[in-house]
Amino acid sequence: MNIIITIVVTALAVLYAGLFKAKKALLPLTLVGLLISLAFAVTAWNSNTVYYGMMEMDNFAIAFSSLTILGTIFIFLLTQNYFAKDSENVAEYYTLILFALAGIVIMVSYTNMSMLFIGIEIMSVALYILAGIRKSNFASNEASLKYFLMGAFSTGFLLFGITLVYGATGSFSLHAINQYLVGNYQAVSPLFYPGVILIMVGLCFKIGAAPFHFWTPDVYEGAPSLITAFMSTVVKTAGFAAFLRLFAGTFAPLHDFWMPPLMAIVCITLFIGNVTALFQKNFKRMLAYSSISHAGYLLFSLVTLTANSANNVMVYAAAYTFASIIAFAVLILVKQKTGHDNFESFNGLGKRNPLVALALTIAMLSLAGIPLTAGFIGKYLMFLNVMNEYQIYLVAFAILNALVGFYYYLRVIVAMYFKEGAEVVLETPIQYKVVLILSVIITIFLGVYPTIILNLI
């Protein structure tokens, strides 16, 4: 609870700092607040504190809270002069991101489905505003409207599913629902089954899994790049943590029922995400479809439930988060200089900015799943999770889709090192260099020594 309180207090302090025109204090104040909340998370390890039966800070919640807070710190380090050109009231950007993070911490620590809904809505409302915060930009306005409409639509599915589960069990408590399933396995109420499917559909909307992904490309492209980075990393990680807590824990006794439709969603997500990304000419839009394909790989953890499912998701989410932060950081630098975010904008970057190009190369290799990167370990663990005689075809299908992914990730590397571009040198602020270097170190370190978080939860 100290984590959420610290984040909310920091958000309010930042808002008042903006009100009194203390712009230089915004970033330091935000970073201090996030570091304190991260310290609270680390010191709460093995505490397993339950708050009124609504939330529990167990190791699962602490691990994912720490990852999302660290990812948010990296995002904030990229904000130097980024929002200033859009608005004089920069504090509102910081505050909304912090409130979204507070909702995210609730999402990864809930033990009651009402708290799941509250966490999702706190996060979503802030993101609706952030997606369209560039009021004079038509693409940003369109992104916000689409995100709001699709988000409201998915919330309806989620709430209807929660209602049916409550009607069958008489409780919102995850523990009580699980006990109901264990005690009435042969006589589960007919209301429960459609409730589970509707909750699955609602959560698949939130994580951008196909065929519920329609909002993702347009919203990711239209929203400010820094907000897109936050949505595709921190928000996606929180969505999968919420998904995993509910289905791998509470609904596990009905795994045979909800696994077939989930497997169908995995296959559709992998195919649509990878094949569509293959034809994109816009780097940012390619990252959007790439995020859809990674949602499919992350869902592998639920197809076959094992004792290591949570750890596998943690490794993959960490790998994806830091590689994507590198990609978006470089995208921001390139677009600020060239005014474009297509693949041609990266031509010759290897000669002009070796450090930036190297960081982006490692990020692309990690996203593609090349050995010695965290992305390879993440994919390996996901494939290993479902490697048995019944699901070997699913692994083969996923590997074929991963091969497709190699091509569109390598397009960026080819553009940077083998194509000639304008002689433009990117100005790389010190904060960007810190984020790039730290993210590269984490990506390589997890690729070589994954055991540091493999048995964490």
Side-chain angles (χ1 to χ4, degrees):
M1 189 63 71
N2 290 334
I3 303 172
I4 298 174
I5 293 172
T6 304
I7 293 171
V8 172
V9 169
T10 302
L12 295 174
V14 167
L15 192 61
Y16 276 98
L19 184 64
F20 291 102
K21 308 298 181 182
K23 292 183 179 180
K24 292 184 179 180
L26 296 179
L27 183 57
L29 185 60
T30 301
L31 294 178
V32 168
L34 289 176
L35 288 172
I36 292 173
S37 63
L38 184 61
F40 276 128
V42 172
T43 55
W45 191 256
N46 286 330
S47 62
N48 293 337
T49 307
V50 180
Y51 299 97
Y52 306 102
M54 306 296 282
M55 295 171 55
E56 180 180 8
M57 275 298 161
D58 55 3
N59 288 352
F60 177 94
I62 293 168
F64 280 100
S65 295
S66 300
L67 177 58
T68 55
I69 292 170
L70 186 59
T72 305
I73 290 173
F74 279 31
I75 296 293
F76 272 116
L77 286 172
L78 302 177
T79 60
Q80 182 185 19
N81 299 324
Y82 184 82
F83 296 127
K85 63 180 180 294
D86 296 321
S87 172
E88 294 182 359
N89 303 314
V90 180
E92 62 189 21
Y93 292 82
Y94 286 69
T95 302
L96 287 168
I97 293 174
L98 288 169
F99 277 128
L101 181 61
I104 284 168
V105 175
I106 295 173
M107 285 175 61
V108 304
S109 58
Y110 72 97
T111 56
N112 188 290
M113 286 201 289
S114 62
M115 293 304 296
L116 169 63
F117 171 72
I118 290 171
I120 287 176
E121 287 308 295
I122 292 173
M123 176 194 74
S124 297
V125 170
L127 291 176
Y128 298 152
I129 301 170
L130 287 167
I133 203 161
R134 289 178 172 170
K135 301 174 185 177
S136 59
N137 187 301
F138 178 78
S140 183
N141 294 335
E142 181 186 3
S144 180
L145 181 61
K146 286 184 177 179
Y147 194 23
F148 170 72
L149 292 176
M150 297 304 291
F153 190 61
S154 65
T155 298
F157 278 96
L158 181 66
L159 281 177
F160 195 14
I162 290 174
T163 301
L164 291 177
V165 169
Y166 176 79
T169 64
S171 177
F172 291 119
S173 168
L174 300 191
H175 177 73
I177 294 169
N178 182 256
Q179 291 299 110
Y180 168 83
L181 292 176
V182 172
N184 300 275
Y185 184 73
Q186 301 297 328
V188 174
S189 169
L191 290 175
F192 198 92
Y193 296 102
V196 172
I197 297 300
L198 287 171
I199 291 173
M200 180 187 295
V201 170
L203 290 176
C204 282
F205 266 107
K206 299 299 182 184
I207 63 175
F212 315 106
H213 68 290
F214 303 107
W215 61 273
T216 308
D218 291 336
V219 173
Y220 278 26
E221 185 179 14
S225 295
L226 206 58
I227 303 305
T228 304
F230 180 72
M231 291 167 60
S232 66
T233 55
V234 178
V235 172
K236 189 176 285 287
T237 297
F240 276 100
F243 211 132
L244 191 67
R245 182 179 279 274
L246 186 59
F247 279 79
T250 305
F251 295 159
L254 291 183
H255 182 252
D256 292 341
F257 165 72
W258 52 259
M259 190 268 287
L262 183 67
M263 189 180 295
I265 290 172
V266 169
C267 292
I268 296 170
T269 301
L270 289 175
F271 181 77
I272 290 178
N274 283 296
V275 172
T276 315
L278 194 63
F279 296 98
Q280 301 305 309
K281 297 180 180 179
N282 180 288
F283 181 69
K284 190 176 180 182
R285 200 169 178 87
M286 181 275 283
L287 290 177
Y289 281 105
S290 165
S291 76
I292 294 171
S293 70
H294 286 288
Y297 294 120
L298 278 162
L299 285 174
F300 268 47
S301 60
L302 290 169
V303 171
T304 302
L305 296 179
T306 68
N308 295 319
S309 290
N311 285 303
N312 294 347
V313 170
M314 183 70 185
V315 173
Y316 198 108
Y320 174 72
T321 293
F322 295 108
S324 294
I325 286 175
I326 294 172
F328 279 103
V330 177
L331 172 63
I332 291 169
L333 292 173
V334 170
K335 191 172 183 179
Q336 285 177 344
K337 198 67 176 180
T338 66
H340 303 285
D341 53 10
N342 49 35
F343 285 99
E344 287 73 21
S345 301
F346 295 85
N347 288 355
L349 188 63
K351 296 179 180 178
R352 291 178 280 132
N353 294 83
L355 174 63
V356 173
L358 176 62
L360 185 57
T361 299
I362 293 172
M364 293 297 101
L365 293 177
S366 182
L367 290 173
I370 300 299
L372 298 183
T373 64
F376 169 76
I377 297 298
K379 279 191 172 66
Y380 171 76
L381 291 173
M382 289 301 171
F383 293 161
L384 191 65
N385 204 48
V386 295
M387 186 75 77
N388 60 53
E389 58 179 325
Y390 301 108
Q391 287 148 4
I392 188 67
Y393 298 108
L394 179 60
V395 175
F397 179 76
I399 291 174
L400 289 175
N401 277 274
L403 293 175
V404 175
F406 290 161
Y407 176 78
Y408 58 78
Y409 289 126
L410 290 177
R411 283 179 64 187
V412 187
I413 299 175
V414 170
M416 290 191 296
Y417 291 103
F418 300 101
K419 292 186 178 181
E420 293 296 328
E423 293 296 327
V424 179
V425 178
L426 301 182
E427 296 177 3
T428 310
I430 185 64
Q431 292 97 318
Y432 277 73
K433 290 181 180 178
V434 170
V435 170
L436 292 176
I437 292 172
L438 289 179
S439 297
V440 166
I441 291 172
I442 293 172
T443 299
I444 298 298
F445 187 79
L446 290 180
V448 179
Y449 300 105
T451 52
I452 192 168
I453 62 173
L454 193 54
N455 300 311
L456 193 62
I457 303 174

